[in-house]
Amino acid sequence: NQEKTHEVKLTDPAATAGTALAVKRNHLYRIIITKATKLNFDIKVADWEEEEPYVAADIKLNLDPDEQKELNDALLVSRFSEYNVKAISKDNVEFFDHQLSNYSELEPSHYFSYTNLKNMGLIENGNSLSVSDSEGNSYHVPTLGEITLLYPCDLRLISDTGDVINGYKVYNNIQLTTGRAARYINPNIFDEEIFLKNNSKGQQEKSEPLTNEVTQNGFKGTSQIAAGRYRNDNFIYYNINDKSITSDNSNDGDLITYPPIYGVRFLGTSQRAAYRWQNIPYGKDNQMRALSIRIKALKDDNVILNDIVDNHSFWAEDYIEYVCPYYGYFSSTSNDIAGTSLEASYVTTTINTTSIYRLQMSYIQVQPLYAGLNSLHNLRLIKDVKEVENAE
């Protein structure tokens, strides 16, 4: 008999090349050996033979409420207004103080355009100037980079064959049973860049490379997104022909279910956080629809996506939440409000030649789209930050 020894080093495929796999408690690890007979082997963790004992990664997800709040408050995304803007001028902003219970309560004056805001004197040299609410809090209109703190726009929109459908980058893992192409989330870890500022032309300021350090210009970290395994208890039927939505299929529509979408974003930075996005019903007879965004800051980079997917105890408390109602947009063609219950659309100060970027949230996906300078959309502001500091 001939004895041979072969050492296999287990590395983490989700980390930098060569990084050892950190053994975690309550995780199952399977090593598959193929095409071998009469094989004797031992499995050992070499670290345990060192002078100091090997300690498996101990992930503490649910923090003390005070500690969690302190971490949450240090996130830039925590500075968004709780509600949409109701009215705004150069000197003052008024927010809604509740989510409307009926779409009939919406008025054309609740929608705003880039041109409106610029003519008010709120946009100058490519960026928003500050405006105060009745309590003296100072806000500004977000850039595209700031508003994508709410939802990533860095993944590729792909088909089930892996082919790119278009240049936009991705969003909800919702499959339509209609004839249109299904949208999927790319499950791979990706580098996510956030350009917080515009240049003097209103385009994203990219003159300096981003790093993991959070600065006035932005930052970059690693992120990953996946769909949850559980469907929302509420479901709807969507008729693609007349765009009608019901909960009992009286419109001969197609069933659409909405699993929550989860993300771990900006690992390697002080802005690291867990996200959960979910379409929700609310309002009178639950006929209103909105996108719920829950966010919890993470204490360190040890948390992985599987730790927070469908983890109901983790998402039960101590989170930041934004509810973005599908209030639609104001259509200049019909001179009326359109798209209610189907989408929300938020103005940014970032432009591309003759168009602005807006963030569209809908049943199907969330994505940055172009819009005319005079097109009227929802508006949500973000509090001013005089100096961005790392939360570490």
Side-chain angles (χ1 to χ4, degrees):
N1 292 336
Q2 185 177 9
E3 182 177 310
K4 291 185 177 181
T5 300
H6 178 68
E7 179 181 339
V8 178
K9 293 184 178 180
L10 301 180
T11 59
D12 187 349
T16 305
T19 302
L21 181 68
V23 179
K24 297 182 179 180
R25 295 187 177 93
N26 300 321
H27 282 62
L28 173 66
Y29 296 89
R30 178 180 295 129
I31 299 175
I32 300 176
I33 300 174
T34 60
K35 298 181 181 179
T37 59
K38 298 182 179 180
L39 180 66
N40 296 316
F41 62 91
D42 293 320
I43 296 177
K44 62 182 179 179
V45 180
D47 305 64
W48 289 352
E49 296 182 340
E50 302 295 334
E51 293 182 1
E52 295 185 4
Y54 178 82
V55 179
D58 186 8
I59 307 300
K60 185 179 180 183
L61 289 175
N62 296 312
L63 305 176
D64 174 82
D66 291 337
E67 183 180 14
Q68 184 67 64
K69 184 180 186 306
E70 182 179 357
L71 290 173
N72 287 350
D73 290 346
L75 295 177
L76 295 177
V77 72
S78 71
R79 295 177 171 88
F80 275 95
S81 58
E82 182 178 1
Y83 297 102
N84 287 0
V85 170
K86 185 176 182 180
I88 193 170
S89 67
K90 183 178 181 180
D91 302 316
N92 182 260
V93 60
E94 178 186 359
F95 297 101
F96 286 98
D97 58 7
H98 65 285
Q99 307 296 358
L100 303 183
S101 60
N102 196 300
Y103 292 122
S104 63
E105 299 177 53
L106 289 166
E107 300 176 5
S109 62
H110 298 156
Y111 300 83
F112 307 89
S113 72
Y114 179 92
T115 300
N116 290 157
L117 299 171
K118 189 170 183 179
N119 289 342
M120 291 178 195
L122 286 172
I123 299 176
E124 190 175 287
N125 295 323
N127 287 277
S128 172
L129 300 181
S130 298
V131 60
S132 298
D133 64 10
S134 59
E135 298 178 356
N137 297 307
S138 181
Y139 293 85
H140 63 271
V141 183
T143 63
L144 176 63
E146 287 175 321
I147 208 163
T148 51
L149 291 170
L150 294 173
Y151 206 112
C153 297
D154 282 359
L155 292 178
R156 300 307 301 265
L157 188 58
I158 58 175
S159 71
D160 54 355
T161 62
D163 298 323
V164 174
I165 295 175
N166 61 36
Y168 290 120
K169 303 184 176 185
V170 125
Y171 321 142
N172 262 345
N173 190 27
I174 297 170
Q175 300 178 8
L176 300 183
T177 53
T178 60
R180 69 174 63 181
R183 272 81 168 170
Y184 291 87
I185 283 178
N186 183 336
N188 298 324
I189 292 174
F190 63 100
D191 292 327
E192 187 170 8
E193 296 183 325
I194 297 293
F195 295 95
L196 294 172
K197 297 294 183 182
N198 295 335
N199 60 27
S200 60
K201 296 181 179 180
Q203 299 169 341
Q204 287 192 316
E205 177 56 72
K206 296 183 177 181
S207 59
E208 297 181 6
L210 300 180
T211 68
N212 289 356
E213 181 182 356
V214 181
T215 70
Q216 292 281 357
N217 289 332
F219 60 94
K220 69 176 181 180
T222 56
S223 303
Q224 188 178 18
I225 294 176
R229 294 181 290 272
Y230 300 103
R231 294 177 176 177
N232 192 337
D233 292 335
N234 301 281
F235 55 87
I236 63 167
Y237 294 88
Y238 176 66
N239 188 307
I240 195 172
N241 295 313
D242 62 13
K243 296 184 178 180
S244 61
I245 293 173
T246 60
S247 59
D248 59 2
N249 203 22
S250 59
N251 64 345
D252 296 321
D254 293 291
L255 175 66
I256 303 179
T257 59
Y258 297 99
I261 310 300
Y262 296 92
V264 173
R265 301 180 70 191
F266 312 130
L267 295 181
T269 80
S270 63
Q271 299 300 303
R272 65 179 74 87
Y275 282 71
R276 192 194 80 175
W277 301 275
Q278 186 168 30
N279 284 287
I280 59 171
Y282 79 101
K284 185 178 180 181
D285 299 325
N286 281 340
Q287 291 304 302
M288 306 278 281
R289 291 293 189 274
L291 182 67
S292 162
I293 306 173
R294 289 187 180 181
I295 305 161
K296 291 184 74 170
L298 299 175
K299 188 173 182 179
D300 53 48
D301 290 331
N302 289 330
V303 175
I304 62 174
L305 188 59
N306 285 342
D307 291 329
I308 60 107
V309 170
D310 296 322
N311 185 336
H312 302 301
S313 64
F314 176 75
W315 291 108
E317 56 188 1
D318 301 329
Y319 50 78
I320 302 165
E321 183 169 30
Y322 296 108
V323 176
C324 302
Y326 294 155
Y327 287 165
Y329 57 94
F330 188 83
S331 171
S332 58
T333 303
S334 62
N335 197 35
D336 199 1
I337 297 169
T340 54
S341 81
L342 291 175
E343 69 173 72
S345 184
Y346 288 96
V347 176
T348 77
T349 60
T350 304
I351 64 174
N352 185 348
T353 60
T354 59
S355 301
I356 66 160
Y357 281 105
R358 63 186 175 96
L359 186 67
Q360 181 203 46
M361 302 178 179
S362 74
Y363 284 116
I364 301 168
Q365 60 192 18
V366 179
Q367 61 185 339
L369 292 176
Y370 296 141
L373 300 179
N374 297 319
S375 58
L376 296 159
H377 306 277
N378 302 140
L379 181 60
R380 191 165 291 214
L381 304 186
I382 187 170
K383 282 185 178 179
D384 291 342
V385 182
K386 293 184 180 180
E387 183 175 352
V388 179
E389 297 179 347
N390 284 337
E392 295 175 327

